[in-house]
Amino acid sequence: LHTITSTMMNGLSASIVRSLAVHQVANPVLQLLLEVLAKDNEEAKDELVDKLLMDITREEEPGHKNNDRDAYVETLLRDQVGSHLLEMIVKVASPVLYQKFYTTYFRGRLVKLSFHPIANYVIQQFFVKAKTPVQLEMMVTEVLPEFSNFLKFGRPGVIRAIVEACKNVGACHKEVIKGLCQAFHTNTPIERKEFLHVVLHMETYEQLMERREAQESTKPKFHPQGAVILQLLLQYPEEHSKIVVDSYFAQKEELMYAWTMDPTGSHVIEAFLTSSTLNLKVKRKILKSFMGKYHSMALDKYGGHTVDKCWAVSDIDMKEKIATELLQHEQALSQSFHGKFILRNCKIDQFKRKKEEWVEREKGIERKKDMFKDILGDAV
């Protein structure tokens, strides 16, 4: 690694290094090099960034312009290969360089670049890596009015990146929730009951209602970006994730049960259970809603994962109830590929033969969780 870095810095001219940035084979190597150096050698990483972007990390006079560098950055932004390197540079940028990127290249242009078929991926990374609440507030203010158009014209990744940035920085939650409600047309209490559905399908309230009225025979697939948005929202402070929780409990239990066995929907259900910001009351309500269905979920590839997550957040009383249900269906579960793992994970054999030992073991696990809860939160 040291040899490769040294060759880049001293053995190659700046123009050759920059030409490698748009080379299909060399570009991923440069990305990997930047990522490794960011962890091991901050100084060497900045030197490589300087070689690629003409001393961009160096301090410059206010108002100083480097026309060659500006033109090169604009080329990278729109290049199918080069843009991936720019994404990585943004990812590993120091707070000072990040701010320089913002003021020099992105401020006032975030909306335009978000709609560009290639540059939008760099902008997504730029949002996710926001450093301070002040930066994020300025960026969110700039793009918030365009949420509806991001949804309409197929830029769900940009919305997801903004939602993620708020989670990372811990700011702008209220503004982003409001922007989402306006984009998905869920402004009234009745409309907000469907918040879960509109986000998961990445469609407006009216589009959802039209589909329901038409009673489409083919169920539309859940949108992966919509699922990620919901998972991120469930990591927001409780007062801001309330819209997702309220929408969940406005649904029929049978529907939520069906989601546990969907490759995308199950991740959303699991996000409720693993959230470090949701209180235990909400999680217990979800756990109780699956009573009588755990054995069916355990037979399914995705449902089995959900059972594991339910088990992890259950107290000893709930675990006994789940274990009792699983034991009643032990034969069917033992003959199922996925069911076997659930029986093993929940130690159902021990529960059947030596229940007192099983209870003591589970209580021991619970005590350890309580010890670490203060440090790691409810998600333990």
Side-chain angles (χ1 to χ4, degrees):
L1 180 68
H2 180 73
T3 311
I4 298 170
T5 311
S6 181
T7 306
M8 286 280 184
M9 302 305 178
N10 309 314
L12 299 175
S13 69
S15 58
I16 289 174
V17 173
R18 286 196 290 276
S19 70
L20 296 176
V22 290
H23 189 282
Q24 281 191 322
V25 178
N27 178 292
V29 178
L30 287 170
Q31 287 182 59
L32 185 62
L33 205 52
L34 282 169
E35 197 162 25
V36 173
L37 289 174
K39 291 172 186 169
D40 298 338
N41 192 335
E42 191 76 18
E43 196 178 323
K45 178 212 67 178
D46 283 346
E47 281 180 34
L48 181 53
V49 170
D50 279 340
K51 192 106 177 184
L52 287 162
L53 297 182
M54 307 173 204
D55 296 333
I56 194 168
T57 71
R58 306 283 168 88
E59 209 171 313
E60 293 170 333
E61 293 292 319
H64 171 82
K65 283 188 79 67
N66 185 326
N67 293 331
D68 289 342
R69 181 171 67 213
D70 295 350
Y72 183 63
V73 170
E74 293 299 328
T75 301
L76 288 181
L77 257 176
R78 292 166 171 79
D79 186 88
Q80 275 190 313
V81 177
S83 61
H84 292 294
L85 183 66
L86 201 53
E87 276 183 62
M88 182 54 71
I89 292 172
V90 164
K91 185 179 176 182
V92 301
S94 65
V96 174
L97 178 57
Y98 183 94
Q99 182 63 25
K100 193 171 188 177
F101 264 113
Y102 178 53
T103 52
T104 311
Y105 300 112
F106 298 147
R107 188 165 59 190
R109 303 174 66 210
L110 289 170
V111 171
K112 186 182 176 184
L113 292 170
S114 291
F115 283 114
H116 190 277
I118 295 167
N120 86 85
Y121 293 104
V122 180
I123 296 304
Q124 287 180 40
Q125 183 67 262
F126 190 71
F127 266 112
V128 170
K129 288 294 165 184
K131 308 292 181 192
T132 67
V134 174
Q135 276 174 347
L136 187 60
E137 280 164 24
M138 289 174 72
M139 294 192 287
V140 166
T141 302
E142 189 178 329
V143 297
L144 209 57
E146 294 297 322
F147 266 33
S148 295
N149 286 328
F150 291 153
L151 179 63
K152 188 176 177 182
F153 298 110
R155 286 288 174 268
V158 177
I159 298 175
R160 189 266 314 146
I162 296 163
V163 172
E164 189 173 343
C166 295
K167 190 233 4 156
N168 294 344
V169 177
C172 301
H173 303 109
K174 189 178 177 182
E175 294 82 354
V176 166
I177 295 285
K178 190 177 177 185
L180 289 171
C181 287
Q182 287 172 347
F184 289 106
H185 302 174
T186 51
N187 296 304
T188 68
I190 296 288
E191 290 164 351
R192 287 189 176 201
K193 283 183 179 180
E194 304 298 345
F195 188 80
L196 214 57
H197 287 285
V198 293
V199 177
L200 202 45
H201 291 103
M202 292 307 278
E203 62 187 358
T204 62
Y205 179 80
E206 291 77 13
Q207 288 169 327
L208 175 71
M209 291 299 112
E210 278 174 30
R211 252 195 324 103
R212 283 188 183 167
E213 281 172 28
Q215 292 183 326
E216 289 181 11
S217 54
T218 54
K219 193 184 99 173
K221 283 186 178 177
F222 294 147
H223 198 295
Q225 293 277 22
V228 174
I229 288 170
L230 289 172
Q231 290 170 67
L232 290 165
L233 291 175
L234 287 165
Q235 295 176 59
Y236 278 21
E238 205 162 8
E239 67 269 27
H240 301 300
S241 63
K242 188 175 183 295
I243 185 170
V244 185
V245 175
D246 289 349
S247 178
Y248 179 96
F249 289 120
Q251 310 307 316
K252 291 178 180 173
E253 282 186 5
E254 294 78 27
L255 182 63
M256 296 298 99
Y257 160 63
W259 282 18
T260 66
M261 292 178 279
D262 180 272
T264 307
S266 59
H267 286 299
V268 177
I269 304 290
E270 288 168 19
F272 280 91
L273 301 167
T274 57
S275 168
S276 59
T277 56
L278 286 188
N279 66 54
L280 282 172
K281 193 177 171 185
V282 170
K283 295 179 184 181
R284 284 192 187 118
K285 198 173 174 182
I286 293 171
L287 294 173
K288 283 178 185 172
S289 73
F290 293 140
M291 284 309 302
K293 304 184 183 83
Y294 283 107
H295 67 282
S296 305
M297 289 157 62
L299 294 169
D300 181 80
K301 178 182 178 182
Y302 303 105
H305 283 296
T306 310
V307 173
D308 278 335
K309 293 288 188 293
C310 289
W311 186 264
V313 296
S314 295
D315 59 18
I316 190 69
D317 292 338
M318 194 67 203
K319 280 182 177 177
E320 276 201 56
K321 288 174 184 172
I322 296 171
T324 302
E325 182 187 328
L326 296 175
L327 183 58
Q328 286 168 357
H329 299 85
E330 185 184 20
Q331 192 176 352
L333 291 168
S334 64
Q335 290 167 3
S336 154
F337 177 77
H338 304 294
K340 274 188 291 196
F341 290 108
I342 298 299
L343 290 175
R344 188 189 68 192
N345 294 352
C346 302
K347 301 283 186 291
I348 299 304
D349 193 55
Q350 188 188 24
F351 177 76
K352 179 171 70 173
R353 298 175 193 281
K354 298 174 181 176
K355 189 175 176 182
E356 285 180 12
E357 279 183 26
W358 180 91
V359 169
E360 282 308 308
R361 181 184 169 277
E362 293 300 332
K363 280 183 178 174
I365 292 169
E366 218 166 283
R367 279 194 294 272
K368 282 179 188 172
K369 275 189 195 176
D370 289 338
M371 280 167 59
F372 290 107
K373 197 165 274 187
D374 291 340
I375 307 165
L376 301 173
D378 278 349
V380 186

